[in-house]
Amino acid sequence: MTLLSAQSIKKRFGGVTALSGADFDLRSGEVHVLLGSNGCGKSTLCKVISGVVRPDSGTVRVKDRLLEDITPRLSRERGVGVVYQELSLVPSLSVAQNILLGMEKVNGLGILRDTKNEEALEEIFSEFRDLFPRGFSLETMVHALTPDLQQLVEIMKVLARDPEILIFDEPTASLSKEQIDLFFGILDRLKAKEKGIIFISHKLEEIFRVGDRITIMRGGKHVGCSTISSITRDEIVHLMVGDIFQSEYRKSSPYRSGRELLGGRGLSGRSIREIDFSLGQGEILGLGGLQGQGQRAFLLTLFGVEPLHEGTLEREGRAVSLKSPKQAMRESLAYISGDRKKYGVFLIRSILENLFISRVILNTMPLFRRKTLKGSADSVIQDLGLVYDTLDRPVSTLSGGNQQKVIIGRWLLNNPAVILMDDPTKGVDVKTKKDLYELMERMCQAGCSVIWNSSDDQELLQNADRVLVFREGRVIRELSGKDLNESTLYRAALGVDDPAEEGR
Amino acid sequence: MKQHIARVLDPTVLVFSLCLVLLAIGQIVSPGFAAPRQIINMLVVASFLGIVAAGQSLVVIGGKNGIDLSVGNLVTFGAIVGGAVMRQQDQRLMLALLAVLFFSFLVGLLNGTGVVFFGIPPLVMTLGMGIIVAATNRFITGGVPVGGASPLLRILVVGRIGGVPGILFWWILIAVLVLVLLHNSRYGMNLYALGSNETAAKLSGVSVVPMRIITFGLCSLLAGLAGFLYLGYLGSVYNITLGDKYTLASVVAVVVGGTALTGGVGGYRGVFFGAIMLQLLESLLITLRMEQFGRNITFGVVLLLLIFMYGRDKKLRM
Amino acid sequence: MVKQFFSLAGAASGVKMFFLKGEAWRLSFLVMLALVAVITAVQPGYILPYNLLVKLRTWLPLILAAYGQTFVILGGGIDLSVGTMIALVNVTAVEVMAAGGFSPPSIVLGLLCGIAAGLAAGAVNGFCVAYLRFQPIITTFATGIIWTGLALWIRPESGGGVPMELYDLYSGQFLFFPLVVWVVLALFGLSWVLKKSSFGVHLKAVGGNAPAAFETGLPVARIRLSSYMICSVFVSLASFCILGETITGNPYAGQGYDLESISAVALGGTSLAGGIGGPVGSVFGAAILKLVNDAIFFLGIPVNFQRLMQGLILVGALAAGGVLSKKNRGKSKDES
Amino acid sequence: AGRGEAKSEGFVIGVSNPWVGSEWRTQMVDRVQEVAQPYIREGFIKEVVVQSFDVPLEGQIDQIRNLISRGADVILVNPADANALNPVIREAVQRGIIVIATDTEVSSPDAINVAIDQAEWARISARWLVDKLGDQGKIVAINGISGHPANTARVRGYTEVFRDASGIEILNQVNADWDNALGQSTMQNLLATYPDINGVWVQDGMAEGALRAIRSAGRDDIYVTGEARVGYLNLWKETGIDGIGVANPPGCMASALEVAVQLLKGRELKDGVLSGPFGNTLYVPVPVVVTNLNFDTVYNEYKGYPDYYSVDGHITPAQAEQFFK
Ligand SMILES: Nc1ncnc2c1ncn2[C@@H]1O[C@H](COP(=O)(O)OP(=O)(O)OP(=O)(O)O)[C@@H](O)[C@H]1O
Ligand SMILES: Nc1ncnc2c1ncn2[C@@H]1O[C@H](COP(=O)(O)OP(=O)(O)OP(=O)(O)O)[C@@H](O)[C@H]1O
Ligand SMILES: [Mg+2]
Ligand SMILES: [Mg+2]
């Protein structure tokens, strides 16, 4: 039975088209996987279904009933439950309050019926109890929980509503292996109860493990729908990225060992442990492994944001202590993040300001003329192939890819020696990606070095001269030369070859 | 097309046009309202608010619920300290100015420290600091103001060059400095970055803590300076609540000038005209012989309309 | 290693829970008791039931205003118009009563009209903030100006010939206990109800993370609107207390109550960012503000130091609260 | 101790002042303490306890209650409202406390008021203005806080006078909240709006602001009323205007103290000395009216005082006795 169908949904955010006519349907008793590259509109589609985003056009039907002017409240009443990618928890409320939020059992006066509520909580929590630390109480405030536990709370919250249609937007991204196993167990049971499940994940093995059908999206609409059993990985990837990605890129000039630009011994911090590394001039050092294993923390530590608890950091042989981004900038470090909305861009400010903020901070003169700034940006803008109208426009009028170029430009203006890149191609299209790869190669030839964290293994292997594989905050392997291939990387990331891991 | 509309609704343009409209209405109902002399009079009255609002806009642009409710008391403080140090003597003018600037800056640093290091919301931190400053005012004066403006200060403020009183030159000078500070200085670029995205600002090298503290300092400093100039206008301090009216008025001028209380946008151009607009409106309502209640209601409604145009929060449902 | 991490987090959350379990008012309660003790030490008569009762009568308006303000702040807003709303309610009630010659029915009608005026004002505030998404601070400041205008329109100056009976009513007894004692008891009762009700949780959810509350399906706008309207009911009651105490129709009644009520809320341990705290603390916060004044008077502190002490105590208490809550504050709503 | 018998440890005098914003109030409080000194020395008065703070109406009620707790025998209040304090005054009087209101009159039958007649005070300068203008001309008025009883009485006073002078036209009346600075800017506005003003009726510190505005607009053809404050007198001297300054004495509370002393001594008021709108007011005379006729004398007497100082006066014990049987 078709539980849900969405037809030709369109949605634009300002200048960006998030959905350009997406179709989707969900049957009862299936896990329907939604797949597509970053920014292709998966989350937006889910939000349209749940009423958080109001579509420009298109229809959503639940059990053949048209949902008009959907609000989250309405969709919930019609049996839709969503685990949002960015979670929808209230940090200052307790776990129990969050789980039951909006569906507490009350008496006629609006007073909570404690025993009933507790029963409901117990029922849901019993399954998850083992995953929570000993002594954990449901009265704990959500903000005190680690991200993985918060994710579990969000899952419990949806289960508590016992919806017929469940949407899970990248729920496994921050979960550990045991947590994921439990989650998949739950999915199986929901399936058995004839619920319809939409599951979003970027991890192909998960998709093949639990999916029944798959819809692949690209550029805001679906480009294919099939049962899992009748599709191969290659076909999926092909559908996801299209034909453009034929020309295999590979960093051409190999790393010529030169001076060490940056090096560290025994670096430990909040989420990194005893990391040794050395970065030679002209080298691209990749950071790999599963996501969230300390790669970002490592970069942020190098950039002076996260505190370094132990170990020494050397810049061209000189011991340095970097306590703030500003100090790191003075040592010619640059930090480019792919999570530009949060870490990079000043959406409401002009392109000019976005470009020059760091340059101006390093200037000796505290004053400047905007005209002069504009002039001095020319070469960098050309280098990047930035497309813009005037530099005084807010950066939010640019597309994501161009916004990303602005951030890269910001750092190029500082003539960096070491570029730290934190998943810089997130939500960037293929052409721009390729431009970026070539730019980095040119930078390396000009004497820079790059440390490159990427969640895209393909990208990592194509660009890096060496890859440090992270696991639980440690570097568990260094790959180079012929080891730079997907299977080695994958095995290392999962700890397959690591004798220490075997006993676990 | 959309961009076209956006440009028409540019707060500075809007507020400026509103000023012209108010002048026109005033001139029609009461000929002479828009006479140069009257305009200058209104500008003089607006100037003090304009200077206080300059500081206020810095704090607001810096974001994180930035607001300074101690400015009114600092205006009084500036006038009182200025008068007490100057004791009507020209040779003590510089000393008095420096004292005012130094101590009001210090108050601002304390505000900033409370906000940054103790996590006190700016609203209550500055409210509490306002009480302390008011108390200090009382303490300095013992309830009875001491000293007064020196002749030179009076000339500098109310003396006229070509019919234009000195205070307007000072205001323009301060406005130019603030505009340069906001749009052509490292500080300004950092401030806007901070207000629009603190995390990104930090990762771009902005020193968040000093920036915030200094911004509160500058705000207080400008309020103190406004008080000092006000002393020149008044001659002596008669009333230890004389600055109170500037506290919320400065916030209103900031909002009317198109600087969102959420931070990161706006600037002094709009606020400059915002201060003038408020004064024009006030004058017009008086000229219309509108009774107090009518003035209040009109004023409130105009304010709500302006908020409707550009003082709104983001939608929850996108 | 992972397990170890968990238990650390668990211990930390235990410490945090101690402060955050909605018990921030404990601190304010202690401060309040301490102030009473200090005053009693120099003025033993202070703690006599008669005196405390009389005190309660003058404090009640601020207590009620702060109580109402708490709802708005918990929901993520702020109301700078409570002071002028007090005036609007006051003159409305007095005018209606006067029209009826202060007969008992007209008094009841006057009170009802007063509440209606308050509710209307609260509804306008709430509508602008919740549905039109106006920024609360500046919006309620603007509406506050309008309330003053309306109050002046209804009654340009104070007076109204309110009979002494109204005072007798306010200071009188009701079911063996003074009326004001009942009111305070009712406030504590209501706090308990709020804590135990789903509305209380929803309000905090909206104040703590409005987008999340919305995504969860809570009627965010309606909740914010009701927070303003609930506030206006308590503000109306505050206005009636002032009326009972001053038996005057006064278009300037309630001056200063806006900022003072906000200070009381902050002193009571409620986060001005919304989502954390509760109205009980505000009762104590309001009492602290009043007690500080009394302490200053009875300790014989010179007039010129009084305000200084007041300011220092306010900032000091806020800083202490800030330090405490900084240790256990939730990730602030929008880190960006 | 009841009235009429001296308390062995002396009487306690309470002072309640709900607004500390102006120097006039400071002078009022200072003056009453000064006048109490001789009585304190002779042991008749034990102490003067002051509650002086910016408070709203209910705050003043709280002040009075604190004074009751503190054991005051007399409470001198400068009331913020004519009616609002009646209940608390009754509370105090029921406990045998003498309550005297000053500056503004309260309607409570339990208290007496000792004050100058604000309406008459306003009439003095209004009459002067009419006189100077020769019964012909356009004037504006700058008032204090709208709704404040003293302001209302004053407006009533001058309105009567101007109404009776047929050739006088009031162009506009604006409230400047007894704020010197606001007075100055309001005057600027008015000048620009009405170029043909002949006279300004203005009071309090606002008068100085208004005069400054008029002078800096280069107008010397406008008659201005004013209040006898040192700053105003200085400006008067400096500009050489033909002016008037009517004293509104901060010493009124000291006068109230003198009356209280008589009451504490057990004396009774003569019949018929009480008058006023509520029939409970003891009017004391306006101490000084400064015009060009006596300007130099007054100026020389007050020359050394600071600008904010009001030309003052209060009744002497002997004058107080005149009111009593
Ligand atoms: N609130 C918003 N305002 C503006 N643009 C938005 C908003 N939400 C999403 N977008 C844009 O819409 C597009 C689709 O985003 P969406 O989050 O749906 O992608 P996604 O497929 O979920 O990506 P990911 O795999 O990274 O989660 C993106 O280009 C994004 O930048
Ligand atoms: N939080 C936000 N608020 C407002 N607008 C946003 C927000 N996030 C993204 N946008 C809008 O999204 C656009 C850029 O987002 P996005 O990353 O989706 O671009 P894109 O379509 O992926 O472009 P490209 O193809 O170059 O990657 C901008 O036009 C901006 O208006
Ligand atoms: Mg997504
Ligand atoms: Mg994109």
Side-chain angles (χ1 to χ4, degrees), chain C residues 80-323:
Chain C
L80 289 183
S81 76
V82 301
T84 56
M85 203 188 288
I86 284 178
L88 179 61
V89 172
N90 172 298
V91 294
T92 309
V94 169
E95 242 16 48
V96 172
M97 291 177 192
F102 293 99
S103 61
S106 76
I107 287 180
V108 173
L109 188 66
L111 294 180
L112 289 177
C113 290
I115 293 203
L119 271 174
V124 170
N125 282 341
F127 180 76
C128 288
V129 170
Y131 287 93
L132 300 180
R133 306 192 317 278
F134 286 11
Q135 290 172 355
I137 291 190
I138 188 78
T139 304
T140 53
F141 176 67
T143 56
I145 297 175
I146 298 179
W147 308 155
T148 304
L150 291 174
L152 283 170
W153 178 56
I154 295 172
R155 163 164 278 286
E157 53 191 57
S158 78
V162 184
M164 209 64 165
E165 280 72 38
L166 230 59
Y167 170 78
D168 296 335
L169 197 70
Y170 176 56
S171 58
Q173 305 239 329
F174 176 77
L175 289 182
F176 314 114
F177 278 107
L179 181 67
V180 289
V181 172
W182 282 116
V183 174
V184 172
L185 289 179
L187 290 184
F188 285 118
L190 271 178
S191 308
W192 182 83
V193 171
L194 184 74
K195 206 176 156 175
K196 289 282 166 196
S197 70
S198 58
F199 177 76
V201 180
H202 296 178
L203 185 63
K204 286 187 185 179
V206 168
N209 187 349
F214 177 70
E215 284 168 6
T216 309
L218 297 184
V220 174
R222 206 188 321 150
I223 291 172
R224 296 192 84 183
L225 171 67
S226 48
S227 75
Y228 276 92
M229 293 184 66
I230 291 171
C231 172
S232 70
V233 171
F234 286 103
V235 169
S236 304
L237 296 179
S239 177
F240 296 154
C241 294
I242 292 179
L243 178 58
E245 188 84 330
T246 63
I247 56 164
T248 307
N250 179 2
Y252 293 105
Q255 257 178 17
Y257 271 74
D258 16 52
L259 292 175
E260 227 175 318
S261 65
I262 294 169
S263 304
V265 171
L267 279 175
T270 294
S271 156
L272 291 194
I276 304 172
V280 185
S282 308
V283 174
F284 301 132
I288 290 173
L289 282 177
K290 294 292 189 183
L291 281 164
V292 166
N293 288 347
D294 283 0
I296 288 165
F297 172 66
F298 286 110
L299 291 176
I301 293 169
V303 177
N304 290 341
F305 279 104
Q306 292 183 4
R307 258 186 115 56
L308 192 61
M309 294 292 294
Q310 199 191 25
L312 286 175
I313 291 173
L314 178 62
V315 170
L318 289 171
V323 169

Side-chain angles (χ1 to χ4, degrees), chain D:
Chain D
R3 292 183 196 187
E5 38 195 295
K7 251 172 144 181
S8 56
E9 74 277 34
F11 292 105
V12 175
I13 309 292
V15 168
S16 161
N17 170 40
W19 189 51
V20 294
S22 87
E23 67 299 329
W24 193 95
R25 297 292 180 117
T26 313
Q27 194 176 334
M28 176 188 80
V29 173
D30 286 351
R31 184 47 77 90
V32 77
Q33 285 174 303
E34 204 179 298
V35 169
Q37 281 312 311
Y39 295 111
I40 292 176
R41 257 177 269 128
E42 73 191 40
F44 183 74
I45 290 175
K46 184 178 165 216
E47 58 179 336
V48 179
V49 182
V50 180
Q51 276 265 277
S52 181
F53 214 64
D54 276 321
V55 286
L57 264 180
E58 325 75 73
Q60 186 165 29
I61 292 172
D62 205 21
Q63 284 188 341
I64 295 174
R65 292 204 172 122
N66 277 342
L67 292 170
I68 297 174
S69 297
R70 238 348 219 89
D73 298 290
V74 173
I75 298 179
L76 305 176
V77 289
N78 186 333
D81 188 272
N83 307 306
L85 301 180
N86 292 5
V88 74
I89 290 174
R90 189 176 68 175
E91 272 174 34
V93 169
Q94 277 169 355
R95 302 174 143 238
I97 298 169
I98 297 169
V99 180
I100 302 183
T102 164
D103 191 22
T104 299
E105 298 158 55
V106 296
S107 63
S108 168
D110 303 311
I112 60 170
N113 302 308
V114 174
I116 61 164
D117 183 347
Q118 296 289 352
E120 178 55 25
W121 180 87
R123 276 184 221 116
I124 296 173
S125 51
R127 279 190 220 111
W128 174 87
L129 189 59
V130 171
D131 212 42
K132 288 288 167 193
L133 295 176
D135 240 354
Q136 243 351 290
K138 295 179 174 168
I139 62 166
V140 292
I142 300 177
N143 300 330
I145 295 173
S146 123
H148 190 285
N151 189 62
T152 312
R154 291 173 187 181
V155 172
R156 179 160 45 83
Y158 77 68
T159 311
E160 280 165 23
V161 174
F162 293 137
R163 200 184 43 220
D164 293 345
S166 50
I168 298 283
E169 183 192 348
I170 303 182
L171 292 170
N172 205 341
Q173 307 180 54
V174 186
N175 294 321
D177 302 352
W178 284 313
D179 178 336
N180 184 348
L182 202 54
Q184 187 164 342
S185 55
T186 304
M187 192 65 234
Q188 274 192 341
N189 273 337
L190 290 169
L191 279 174
T193 316
Y194 307 106
D196 48 352
I197 297 176
N198 306 112
V200 183
W201 191 89
V202 53
Q203 32 151 346
D204 185 86
M206 298 184 296
E208 193 187 335
L211 184 53
R212 279 190 197 284
I214 291 171
R215 301 311 288 197
S216 62
R219 300 284 298 266
D220 46 15
D221 54 338
I222 298 178
Y223 283 101
V224 197
T225 64
E227 191 163 313
R229 296 196 185 199
V230 174
Y232 190 70
L233 297 183
N234 285 337
L235 200 60
W236 186 336
K237 178 88 179 166
E238 195 182 308
T239 53
I241 52 163
D242 185 1
I244 185 171
V246 188
N248 174 27
C252 60
M253 190 174 264
S255 299
L257 178 69
E258 295 292 6
V259 172
V261 167
Q262 297 300 322
L263 288 171
L264 285 173
K265 285 182 175 160
R267 314 265 313 254
E268 273 182 50
L269 281 168
K270 279 184 191 157
D271 295 326
V273 292
L274 293 179
S275 59
F278 313 114
N280 61 347
T281 306
L282 225 172
Y283 283 120
V284 293
V286 171
V288 194
V289 176
V290 192
T291 61
N292 273 1
L293 297 175
N294 63 348
F295 180 81
D296 289 333
T297 336
V298 180
Y299 182 74
N300 287 333
E301 188 184 338
Y302 283 93
K303 205 160 49 182
Y305 285 86
D307 275 2
Y308 61 83
Y309 204 81
S310 292
V311 171
D312 206 353
H314 57 85
I315 56 172
T316 60
Q319 280 171 312
E321 280 179 34
Q322 304 277 305
F323 295 118
F324 289 86
K325 287 182 180 153

Side-chain angles (χ1 to χ4, degrees), chain A residues 37-44 47 85-86 169-170 200 202:
Chain A
S37 54
N38 295 120
C40 71
K42 304 179 296 291
S43 298
T44 307
K47 287 181 180 172
Q85 187 172 9
E86 265 111 28
D169 194 350
E170 300 198 30
I200 299 175
H202 289 287

